Amino acid sequence: MTPKSAHVVSFNDVNRNNLVQMASHILDRVSQACFIAIDFEFSGLGEHHPKDMNHRYVAMKQTVEDHTIFSIGLSIVKKKEEEEKGHFYICDNFNFLTLKQGKFTIDSSTGEFLVKHKFSFDRLFVDGIPFLPPSSKQQQQPSTLVDVWKGIMQLMARRDIPLVIHHGLFDLMYLYHSFIGPLPKTLSGFLKEISNHFPSGIYDTKFLVEQGDDHQASFLGYVFAKYDRLRQNRFDDKSTEAKPYFEIDVQAPIQLEQTKKNKKTEEENDDDRPTKRQDVRKEPYCTQFAEHGYCKLGHDPHSKLHDIQIILDHQMGPSIYPQVYSSSLDKDEPKTDTRLEGAHASHFDAYMTGFTFCYLSHTMDPIELKNYKNKVKIRGMHVPLTFPLK
């Protein structure tokens, strides 16, 4: 028996056709969670490089108000029963397809990025969940999407459930603007308000990763793949209390009444499929992507040059356990195709964030981890943005 790869992308597609039916299932799972991880896909990021964080917040606020969210990834993670000693988790992944009503701005670079990663704008306008932010000047009508997210946040506050993000200041601002109300005019006002809505705390996995001495890169895909390898390597030594082995059992999509008679639209990946091994250490890779998670050289995002597993093979040596590769190592043999589908989708980014937090929870000192609560990584700054503790 060998440990399974954590590269599982089973998720619930939440759209305008099933949101009402999904709502009770989502809230029920949130009520049992030990933490929630989120990731948003936006229509733009703008340019926000002022060194003064107060000025940067004002610029980011304008971007959020002009743009919108296209999808939300939600990973709900709970621990299994006490007899499992807390080392096994259950995870439900949800992907909300969201369509803001009225006018919004989309940056061409963002649209190009999303299309390259298989985001369907056709489907967005057909199946996207219509909503208006609470701060909208347009005539308000009841919004199920806003109500669901308000319900999620209220449950998190009542049940002492922390929120987990990865480099997620923009995610927090879009969340606030879309489902809570108008963004405060000042940075200090925003920090206070977001802390009030998430009294159990916010953890930024990018900031947590960078506190370690051994990180070579901290972008999400790299961290997830590396930590999965390190987790697998402890499979034969599960009793190691300092750094225990753990597993996350990703649940299959919820079968609603309207879909039980239909064929599944999303098939769960088979983690036990054979993985074709070859000497990938000699494969070239993009050093800029390996360090930062993006590439300005125009390489195909699905190229082997951007394959995180190949990068890790160079850095760590080939894994003794099966891995899932993000590029196809052998297109002529589909049964051994090890492409990672779903990368850069919001549901998978949320899941990778949740997995990373599980790993860090088992490897960091609990007191140290608690001290890093409400500290968020800011690009280009050595000091994190700190939210007031409740």
Side-chain angles (χ1 to χ4, degrees), residues 27 134 145-155 179-181:
L27 295 175
L145 180 66
V146 174
D147 290 342
V148 167
W149 274 91
K150 284 185 175 180
I152 290 172
M153 291 183 285
Q154 289 168 359
L155 274 173
F179 304 127
I180 297 175

Side-chain angles (χ1 to χ4, degrees), residues 74 173 236:
L74 171 69
M173 293 180 69
D236 294 324

